[in-house]
Every structure is written in C-alpha cells, then in structure tokens.
Amino acid sequence: MQLASKTDVQVESTSPQQSKETIILDVGGMKCAGCVNAVERQLTQQTGVISARVNLATEVATVECEANTVEAEELAQKLTDTGFPSQPRSGSRQTAEASENLAQRHRQEIRQQIRRVVTCGLLILLSGIGHLHHFGIGHLPILNNMWFHWGLATIALLFPGRAIIIDGIRSLLRNAPNMNTLVGLGTITAYTTSFVALLFPQLGWECFFDEPVMLLGFILLGKTLEQQARHRATNALQSLIALQPTMARLVPQPQPNQEDKNIEQAVEIPAEQVRVGEWLKVLPGEKIPVDGEIFSGKTTVNESMLTGESMPVVKQSGESVAAGTINQSGVIIIQAIRTAENTTLAHIVSLVENAQTRKAPIQNLADKVAGYFTYGVMSIATITFLFWYGIGTQIWPDVINFGASEMATHASLLLSMKLAIAVLVIACPCALGLATPTAILVGSGIGAERGLLIKGGDILERVHQLDTVVFDKTGTLTTGHPTVTDCISIENSNSDTILQLAATVEQGSDHPIAKAIINQAQQQELSLLPAEDFQTEVGFGVSAMVNNQRVWVGNQQGLIQQGIEFLENTPNVTGKTAVYVAVEKQLVGLIAVSDPLKEDAKSTVKQLQKMGLRVIILTGDRADVATSIAQQLDLEPENVLAEVRPDGKVKAITDLQQQGQRVAMVGDGINDAPALAQADVGIGLHTGTDVAMETADIVLMRDSLMDVVESIRLSRSTFNKIRQNLFWAFGYNTLGIPVAAGLLLPSFGIILSPAAAGAFMAFSSVSVVTNSLLLRRKFS
C-alpha cells in the first residue's frame, strides 16, 4: 500500500486533469497542537481545498487546492475571523525582506515576553516573601496582608496575564480551546476562590493569591524560553533566505576586449528583475545575483552557503556560478541562466520550507489526540473536583490536611478546587504540537547548512526504516568521466580508423562514454568525418551514415539486435566497458573504456554496512565490469545487478521491495528518475539532472558520496528526536495529569499546587524544544 500510495501521489501531482496550486499563509495566534488542529480543520472545510499542513513552530500553513477555485485572501480572512490572524505570502516563498520582517516580529515578541516575565518575577518575589516565616525567616507585616496579595494577584491578571486569559476565553467561545484556555481557567478559578475567601472570612476558606501569581510567572517564563528556542530552530532557514541577493549590476552585452567599458556602464537594478540572457557584472565581495555562466574574468567563489564546503572554488570563463554565493577575488561578467524563483538558492529555500511543513506519519497520533486534548483535560478536571468533593475526602479524611488549612471549615471544597486547578494547569498540549515540527526544523536546518536537503518529516520516517541502499554505478559510484584505455582492431582494421569512426558517430550523443571517445580522438588529432542520419537506441548504442555506410557503435547486446554477428574469438575486455564498432553489419573493432571509482566510494560503502544497511550496485554495464567494481568495494557478487536497461531499473527496485526490503536509490541521471520515484527513499546528487533532483526525496548539494551516509545519519537522528519528543509529550501528560488529580495523595501525601503544576507545564514545552536543539551538538 505504501509503495502504491507514493506512486499515486506523484501521478496525481502531474496529471493535467487535476490542476493544483499551493497557497502559503502566515498564521498567527496558534498556541498549541489544538490550535494547529483547529486551523487545519478550518482550511480543509473550505470548498476547493484538497489538503492543509500547518506548522506550529514556523507559524506557516501550506494549503493545496484546486487551481483557480480558492482565493488566498479569502482563506486568510476566514482564519482571521476565527481568531488566527493570517495573511497570504507575496509569492509562493519568503523573500529576504519578508524574512527580516518575520525575524523582527520574533524579536519584538521576545522583548514583550521578557518584560512580562520581569513584571511577574517581581510579583512572585513579593508574593513569596510573605511566606518566609514558614522557614523561620523574619517577615514584614504588610507582606502577610491578604489585601496586599489580592492587589498583587489583580495586577498580575490585568497586565502580564491579560493576553493569556483573553485568548483562552475567546478560544473557548470559538469551540477551539487551547493551552491558554486551560491556564486561563485555572488562574481565574484560583483568583476567584481566593477573592471569595477574602470577602467572606466566615466561610473559613484559605486565600491562595500567591498561586495564580506564581502560575502566570512560570507560564510566561516558559513561553519566553520556548520562543527563544523556537527562534533558534528557525535560524538556519532565515539565514538561507537572507542569502538571497537584492541587487544586480546590469551591463550591455560584452564584446571581446571591452570588459572595462561594460564595467563603467553598469546599472544597478533589483536582482528579481534580472531576465534570462542578460549580462551582469559582479565585484569582489559581492553576492552573485543569479545563476549564470562566467563570460569573462577569473575568481574564487565561496559556495559554503549552498554546499557546506568551506573551501572557495576557483571559477573562470565558461563555468557556472550560483545565486547567493560570494565572489571573493576577481571582477567577473556573467550571463544569467536562471533568475528569481528559478535559481538554485531559491529552489533550496523552497525545499527547506516544504520540508518544515511536511509532517512525519508518526505525528498523526499526536494530531488526533490534540483535537480532543483540551476538552479531555477540562473533563478530567471536572471529574477530579466532583470526586474529591464528593467521596474522596470521605474515603480518605486525612488528606484534607495536605490540601488546605486546618482552620478551614470547608477544607474538602478547597482541596477539590486546588486539585482541579492543578489538572487544568499541568496538562501541556504545546509539547504535543511542538514535538515533530521543532525536530524537523532543526534537522532540516542542519541539513541545509551541510548541503543535505531532506524534503520532509515523512522522508525521515522512511529513512529510519531502510535496510537496503542501491547505487547507480556510472556517475554515482564512479566519477562519471570515463577514459579510453584500449582500441582493439578486428579483421585487420586500423585502430585510428576505428576510433575516428566511433567518435564521428558519437558526436550525436551526450553520454559520458561518447564524450570519452570524442576526447580521445581529439587528443590523437583525428578529425571527425561527415555524417548524417544519427539514430539512438537508449541503453544499446548509436548509429549514423558515414561515407554512405551505416556505422553502429554500442554494447554487444545492442549490436546483436541489429543482426551483427559475434564470433567465439571476438576479443573482449575484463573489468572495463566494451564499446563495439561495426560497419555495414561487419564487426571491425572494440574500444575499452574505464570509469574509475570516486575516492570516497569504498569508505561510503563501508560506513553504510556498519550502519546495518545492505549495499547493492545497479548498472546497465556488463556483468564483468560491475563485478570488478564490486570487488574494489568488497561487495559480494549477489549484491550486483548488472546489464539492467534504464527502463528495467524500476523493476529491479520493485523486485527488492517485493522481497520485503525497504530500499533507498542513489542516482544522478535522467534515467534514474523513475527508479528514484519507485524507491522508498530516492537520494539524488545535485551534480545530476534537474529531473533527478525533483524526483529525489533527499538532494545532496555536494559531489560527495559520504553525504549519503551523513544524510541517512541525520535523518535517523532527527526521527529519533521526534520519537523522543512524542514519548516525552505523551508520557508527561499521562503521568502528570493523574498526579495533579491526586493519585499519590492518599498513599504518599503528595499534592501539586497550581503554581507547581504551572512550572511543570512550562518545563514540558521548553524541554521538547531544547531536546530538538540538542541535535546540533551531535552534528557540530
């Protein structure tokens, strides 16, 4: 089912019959997982909306809808009307300016929360000093005056706690209660009970104004720490967005030896206004504004922001450069190839943003629980009050002394109220909502910094389940730059003539082997012959008419299909790729080509095997060539799948999956795209084709095979953090709520005050975010 589902999704997204569009909304006012559930429910109920994904940590909603049926402004307005201030993104992705605005808003929120915490801290200090006499410390009479504590509590509720209480009440009225609803109910209940006791002392109730004051203080402190941690988690994405250049220097089309004139005529324009084909000048120290090709000049370029590689790369005329990278040493003139949202940097930002909104399937349980969590907590609090006020204090009369003053005549009522408040306050829907997105935020951020682009939480879960990694050979395990090693003649043919014929026919192909043969002919100064009627048979070879004769160049299987006879004494080569040449169905020669392994190929295979993964080579090359490569990598023959045509790679992956294996496919070519899509996890090299990158679930920006190991290790570690966070979130609420409800009171006399419950709740949210941030220590 999983494999079919993955294929269905990809077909659906490309089907012309179901045109879709994606709307990005910035959503405010979300406090916990319950809010996320409410926003997603609001969005999916709208006509034309297919699906909605909401990220609590980044406050972003990604809405997939039928094309031309939904207006982004209407969706945003509906959310705003229901208490979640929203606005559509200008364009599909963030700009550097929008990123700075978001960062500024986060900083402003943190400053506001710090001011609130300082205010509550002073109130907590003043409220707590009055109780120091319990510890044998002197006290001031005014600090023990209940009217004084009433004033402190009133100030705490009206000022720092006002926003929490108002939001909680509004959410309850909208039938979408959240964390603030629970905190607000607990705070108001404690304040009201104490105020009644203050006005009517004959009731004998205990005043505990210090509880709502300390409760709000702990909650606000926790929210501040949580917000700071969440901001740290989003730093990597914000840094990527900030890399996007804002300015470009437009110059006229350069002429040979007139570069200086063009530099003087440069006009500054916004980078997003540059068009493909225009010419730009880049000075040392400036960001390269678009993806382009160097026309003139030589320089070194810092590409660390894209690849994670710290060493600058030398670039000269004819080589490509990417937007956002930094020109370090020389003045260059480039021609724009990709601009605006089509640049590599914009593509990376898009991938990272998408990754941060795609949930791991393991989060589904938390989402279902979150939808009913707040209602459940309020129900448990009500049951707790009724139980203790009704029969609890009668069954265990001694417990009253733990929960209220011995002078209280209505101690059971007071105890029941405190326990119910503690239940309301200790519950933490925030931890459930932050468990997955914060881990994905940190993991995807680390990956982006290292040139490892993991496309979402669902990918992390599939990586965690892998047991097999399949490598395409050519260009993935090998350098992709084969060289000619032998040219063997048959039937007394001249070796130079054979090479010349092969190069002539191969000029119509861009295959690496074709380039190797042409390069060898150029090195031997062999000119290409006139040719026409080029034909290509994918996976077999090419042919053309040369001097009125049909010349075939290809592998043995391909030439046999053309009716060319191979005798028993036909020469062959071992451990190399054999390219046969035939003229008019007469075999005339053999060219041996060797493609060496990449330097880190063997160490990569070893590391994957140490991680418990089976490594398989998949290639269209001959079995003896593939076996030779496998021997160099210390792989057994059964781990080699050779002579597999491009259209057979999908079947090879499917066969492994049908054997019960969870398969990752690593490739770089257009022929690998279907296999990348079929695999449980597709890993594409950025040095390969765009279609392979689009199809892959993980994109490696550097030409380093060890990044396959790093991406799997990072994915596993991030998924483990998600599981740890969810375990903690569920475990905390599963244990905390019963303890707050008085589970340990009869046997151990343990009771949680509302203030202590608030402190535990604040700690729960902060601990989830902090645990996610610990990923950075592992990959620092």
Side-chain angles (χ1 to χ4, degrees), residues 427-482:
C428 189
C430 276
L432 289 172
L434 293 170
T436 295
T438 53
I440 293 176
L441 273 175
V442 176
S444 60
I446 294 172
E449 292 170 357
R450 295 166 177 263
L452 316 173
L453 304 183
I454 304 166
K455 294 186 178 179
D458 52 331
I459 310 302
L460 298 173
E461 187 160 341
R462 294 207 296 268
V463 170
H464 189 79
Q465 299 167 346
L466 290 178
D467 51 36
T468 303
V469 179
V470 177
F471 281 93
D472 171 59
K473 181 182 75 69
T474 304
T476 303
L477 283 172
T478 62
T479 63
H481 302 292

Side-chain angles (χ1 to χ4, degrees), residues 93-127:
R93 296 294 165 203
Q94 290 192 44
T95 61
E97 182 180 358
S99 172
E100 177 57 31
N101 291 338
L102 181 62
Q104 185 176 355
R105 191 182 77 185
H106 285 168
R107 290 192 294 268
Q108 184 178 359
E109 289 176 354
I110 291 174
R111 286 195 296 268
Q112 290 176 348
Q113 290 176 0
I114 290 175
R115 286 196 294 269
R116 293 171 185 166
V117 170
V118 171
T119 303
C120 272
L122 293 174
L123 294 174
I124 291 172
L125 181 62
L126 293 173
S127 180

Side-chain angles (χ1 to χ4, degrees), residues 288-322:
I288 294 173
V290 297
D291 288 359
E293 183 177 293
I294 298 177
F295 172 77
S296 64
K298 182 177 181 180
T299 186
T300 55
V301 177
N302 183 349
E303 297 182 332
S304 60
M305 62 287 299
L306 297 183
T307 65
E309 181 59 56
S310 59
M311 293 297 295
V313 180
V314 176
K315 298 282 186 177
Q316 55 190 349
S317 179
E319 294 188 305
S320 60
V321 289

Side-chain angles (χ1 to χ4, degrees), residues 29-40 54 56 84 167 171 176-179:
M30 295 187 295
K31 303 298 187 299
C32 63
C35 296
V36 172
N37 187 270
V39 172
E40 289 183 343
V54 178
L56 175 62
F84 300 101
D167 179 77
S171 299
N178 57 21
M179 180 199 74

Side-chain angles (χ1 to χ4, degrees), residues 398-650:
D398 292 339
V399 302
I400 294 177
N401 293 332
F402 294 112
S405 168
E406 294 180 8
M407 301 297 294
T409 58
H410 295 76
S412 61
L413 175 62
L414 191 61
L415 172 62
S416 304
M417 191 71 71
K418 280 191 171 183
L419 290 172
I421 294 170
V423 170
L424 287 172
V425 172
I426 200 170
C428 189
C430 276
L432 289 172
L434 293 170
T436 295
T438 53
I440 293 176
L441 273 175
V442 176
S444 60
I446 294 172
E449 292 170 357
R450 295 166 177 263
L452 316 173
L453 304 183
I454 304 166
K455 294 186 178 179
D458 52 331
I459 310 302
L460 298 173
E461 187 160 341
R462 294 207 296 268
V463 170
H464 189 79
Q465 299 167 346
L466 290 178
D467 51 36
T468 303
V469 179
V470 177
F471 281 93
D472 171 59
K473 181 182 75 69
T474 304
T476 303
L477 283 172
T478 62
T479 63
H481 302 292
T483 57
V484 174
T485 60
D486 304 281
C487 188
I488 303 171
S489 64
I490 303 174
E491 299 293 338
N492 299 319
S493 299
N494 183 280
S495 61
D496 286 349
T497 302
I498 294 169
L499 182 60
Q500 187 180 38
L501 286 172
T504 299
V505 175
E506 293 283 19
Q507 67 180 309
S509 172
D510 60 355
H511 193 280
I513 291 179
K515 293 180 180 179
I517 292 173
I518 294 172
N519 288 338
Q520 185 64 31
Q522 291 174 345
Q523 290 179 14
Q524 295 184 204
E525 299 181 351
L526 300 175
S527 61
L528 300 182
L529 302 173
E532 59 185 4
D533 191 21
F534 290 91
Q535 297 179 10
T536 301
E537 185 70 26
V538 177
F540 292 122
V542 294
S543 68
M545 293 297 295
V546 182
N547 294 331
N548 297 320
Q549 292 182 309
R550 173 63 63 177
V551 178
W552 284 271
V553 178
N555 58 31
Q556 183 174 4
Q557 186 179 1
L559 268 61
I560 289 175
Q561 285 192 0
Q562 300 299 327
I564 298 169
E565 185 179 4
F566 280 73
L567 303 176
E568 292 184 1
N569 61 350
T570 299
N572 200 347
V573 287
T574 303
K576 299 177 183 179
T577 300
V579 179
Y580 293 94
V581 181
V583 178
E584 291 295 333
K585 306 215 172 182
Q586 178 68 41
L587 198 62
V588 297
L590 162 66
I591 298 174
V593 179
S594 176
D595 187 5
L597 283 171
K598 291 181 178 178
E599 293 182 359
D600 56 351
K602 188 170 184 177
S603 58
T604 298
V605 171
K606 290 294 184 185
Q607 288 296 323
L608 291 173
Q609 290 174 329
K610 286 182 180 179
M611 296 167 69
L613 296 168
R614 178 189 178 191
V615 178
I616 294 176
I617 297 176
L618 179 64
T619 179
D621 220 331
R622 298 196 334 269
D624 64 300
V625 177
T627 301
S628 174
I629 293 292
Q631 290 174 347
Q632 296 177 55
L633 297 172
D634 295 332
L635 291 176
E636 298 298 327
E638 59 265 23
N639 292 324
V640 176
L641 301 176
E643 300 181 13
V644 179
R645 291 191 60 188
D647 56 1
K649 290 184 178 181
V650 172

Side-chain angles (χ1 to χ4, degrees), residues 108 152 160 186 225 308 332 334 378 412 427 436 500 502 550 583 655 679 694 697 746 762:
Q108 184 178 359
L152 293 177
L225 296 175
I332 55 175
I334 66 173
M378 290 189 291
S412 61
T436 295
Q500 187 180 38
R550 173 63 63 177
V583 178
D655 290 343
E694 290 293 338
D697 300 308

Side-chain angles (χ1 to χ4, degrees), residues 149-169:
H149 287 282
W150 166 80
L152 293 177
T154 303
I155 293 173
L157 266 66
L158 289 179
F159 294 98
R162 180 182 177 185
I164 291 177
I165 295 171
I166 291 177
D167 179 77
I169 294 174

